Amino acid sequence: MTDSEHRRTPPAGKSSVRLIKVPEDRAGQRLDNFLLGQLKGAPRSLVYKLVRSGQVRVNGGRAKAERKLEAGEEVRVPPVNLTEVGEKTPPPANFLQRMEQAIVFEDARLLVINKPTGVASHGGSGISHGAIETMRALRPNMNLELVHRLDRDTSGLLIMAKKRSALSELQALLREDHGGIQKRYLTLLAGRMPDGVMSVDAPLHVGLRQGGERHVQVNQAGKPSLSHFRVLERRGGQSYCEVRIETGRTHQIRVHAQHIGHPVAGDDKYGDPVVNKRFREQIGLKRLFLHAATLEFALDGGKTPYLLNAPLAPELTEALDRL
């Protein structure tokens, strides 16, 4: 089987069983992510269902979704009716154009976007077109993979890898303690943060609420989490801050901000509804004021530096100006 056959999109309707040998450049990739690349347009929930039911096999045996594949292994990909799962429809043309305009950096290894608020990093849970699915539609001949994720309501830098080697190196940097990738966010915190600089070292635990919604709280049983807040400017009794995080936990900045009594402006999950209402009415803020502004790292063992920046969205700049 040729390399191009490995990447071929299955036809609409019922596909047939395929036995696919893992190519060298996919070695180390998780089984679920490998399948998402093979079943273009299939939602993540369907991929997990196929794996759990035993329809996907690796070297003839059952495997878990998180299993890391090795070059040369044989993966059985079952027939899937993509028409039935409603994923045949491509992203709308105006959304494709909006996401094309969101690209802030691209080279042979990486594609980086300034993700708009309200756009999920990937599809699933009723979301047909996340950022990665949309960029794959825009770059059909590339094998794009998400390097990391951003909350749906958070805007800013989202990195996708074009090459397996870049994905592996970046994910290794993400796992490093004290920041193999330096992350800088901009946020507006409700109220006047008493000190100009504050570090929050508070473990975070991810729980589930009724309906499967994730809710994070400070809990000693949670994972270590460290955030550094620095006030850039005080406006209208509020604190416009830079935040640097050394860990990348779910909802980390939002929960740490709530923990110190100064939740992120416009945060419907962890913020104050009364304060958020005031922000909407007085400065027109209708979204979460949290933006991934800067990412800094180096590839090739530290030899090739990257410094990526994404400007604040106009609605955030305008909200600041009204304070």
Side-chain angles (χ1 to χ4, degrees), residues 97-167:
Q97 183 180 16
R98 183 183 177 205
M99 294 299 285
E100 179 80 58
Q101 292 169 347
I103 297 171
V104 293
F105 178 82
E106 187 172 4
D107 66 5
R109 292 188 282 195
L110 305 178
L111 187 148
V112 185
I113 66 170
N114 182 359
K115 187 188 78 64
T117 185
V119 176
S121 294
H122 60 75
S125 301
I127 300 165
S128 298
H129 307 299
I132 184 65
E133 290 84 8
T134 306
M135 299 316 296
R136 283 170 178 162
L138 285 167
R139 300 284 193 274
N141 298 320
M142 291 180 187
N143 285 286
L144 293 172
E145 300 286 353
L146 272 179
V147 172
H148 60 117
R149 299 177 191 179
L150 278 183
D151 291 348
R152 185 175 182 178
D153 296 331
T154 302
S155 58
L157 293 167
L158 185 65
I159 306 175
M160 301 168 197
K162 296 179 178 180
K163 296 179 182 290
R164 178 69 201 167
S165 56
L167 178 68

Side-chain angles (χ1 to χ4, degrees), residues 190-201:
R192 186 179 179 86
M193 202 173 86
D195 300 316
V197 178
M198 183 182 292
S199 292
V200 182
D201 187 355

Side-chain angles (χ1 to χ4, degrees), residues 83-260:
T83 307
E84 279 182 10
V85 297
E87 289 294 320
K88 187 182 174 185
T89 307
N94 59 345
F95 185 57
L96 284 169
Q97 183 180 16
R98 183 183 177 205
M99 294 299 285
E100 179 80 58
Q101 292 169 347
I103 297 171
V104 293
F105 178 82
E106 187 172 4
D107 66 5
R109 292 188 282 195
L110 305 178
L111 187 148
V112 185
I113 66 170
N114 182 359
K115 187 188 78 64
T117 185
V119 176
S121 294
H122 60 75
S125 301
I127 300 165
S128 298
H129 307 299
I132 184 65
E133 290 84 8
T134 306
M135 299 316 296
R136 283 170 178 162
L138 285 167
R139 300 284 193 274
N141 298 320
M142 291 180 187
N143 285 286
L144 293 172
E145 300 286 353
L146 272 179
V147 172
H148 60 117
R149 299 177 191 179
L150 278 183
D151 291 348
R152 185 175 182 178
D153 296 331
T154 302
S155 58
L157 293 167
L158 185 65
I159 306 175
M160 301 168 197
K162 296 179 178 180
K163 296 179 182 290
R164 178 69 201 167
S165 56
L167 178 68
S168 298
E169 190 170 4
L170 280 164
Q171 290 184 334
L173 291 174
L174 283 167
R175 289 192 294 269
E176 284 184 14
D177 290 334
H178 309 300
I181 298 181
Q182 303 296 320
K183 306 169 192 172
R184 175 178 172 266
Y185 290 74
L186 295 172
T187 187
L188 180 68
L189 300 188
R192 186 179 179 86
M193 202 173 86
D195 300 316
V197 178
M198 183 182 292
S199 292
V200 182
D201 187 355
L204 297 178
H205 174 72
V206 180
L208 290 179
R209 284 182 166 172
Q210 192 172 6
E213 180 190 5
R214 287 183 303 176
H215 189 81
V216 183
Q217 59 186 6
V218 172
N219 188 310
Q220 291 306 309
K223 294 182 178 180
S225 306
L226 181 57
S227 305
H228 305 289
F229 293 82
R230 182 169 72 90
V231 176
L232 298 175
E233 197 174 347
R234 301 189 195 278
R235 288 195 183 191
Q238 319 304 327
S239 305
Y240 179 49
C241 297
E242 162 189 279
V243 191
R244 294 183 181 270
I245 58 174
E246 296 195 23
T247 49
R249 310 300 180 206
T250 300
H251 300 169
Q252 177 173 325
I253 293 173
R254 298 164 67 180
V255 180
H256 277 175
Q258 176 201 46
H259 183 63
I260 61 174

Side-chain angles (χ1 to χ4, degrees), residues 251-323:
H251 300 169
Q252 177 173 325
I253 293 173
R254 298 164 67 180
V255 180
H256 277 175
Q258 176 201 46
H259 183 63
I260 61 174
H262 299 280
V264 175
D267 192 341
D268 292 334
K269 187 184 287 277
Y270 302 104
D272 183 327
V274 175
V275 173
N276 287 339
K277 183 172 185 288
R278 192 164 68 242
F279 280 130
R280 280 195 302 272
E281 293 172 350
Q282 295 181 358
I283 63 172
L285 181 65
K286 300 175 183 177
R287 53 157 290 192
L288 180 75
F289 200 126
L290 183 59
H291 180 74
T294 306
L295 291 172
E296 189 171 1
F297 54 89
L299 295 180
D300 303 318
K303 295 176 184 175
T304 309
Y306 285 79
L307 177 59
L308 306 170
N309 292 287
L312 274 180
E315 69 268 17
L316 295 186
T317 304
E318 290 163 8
L320 271 182
D321 290 342
R322 293 190 191 107
L323 275 175

Side-chain angles (χ1 to χ4, degrees), residues 67-79:
R67 154 127 183 218
K68 299 284 183 68
L69 297 172
E70 296 179 11
E73 289 190 311
E74 189 174 74
V75 179
R76 178 190 187 273
V77 180

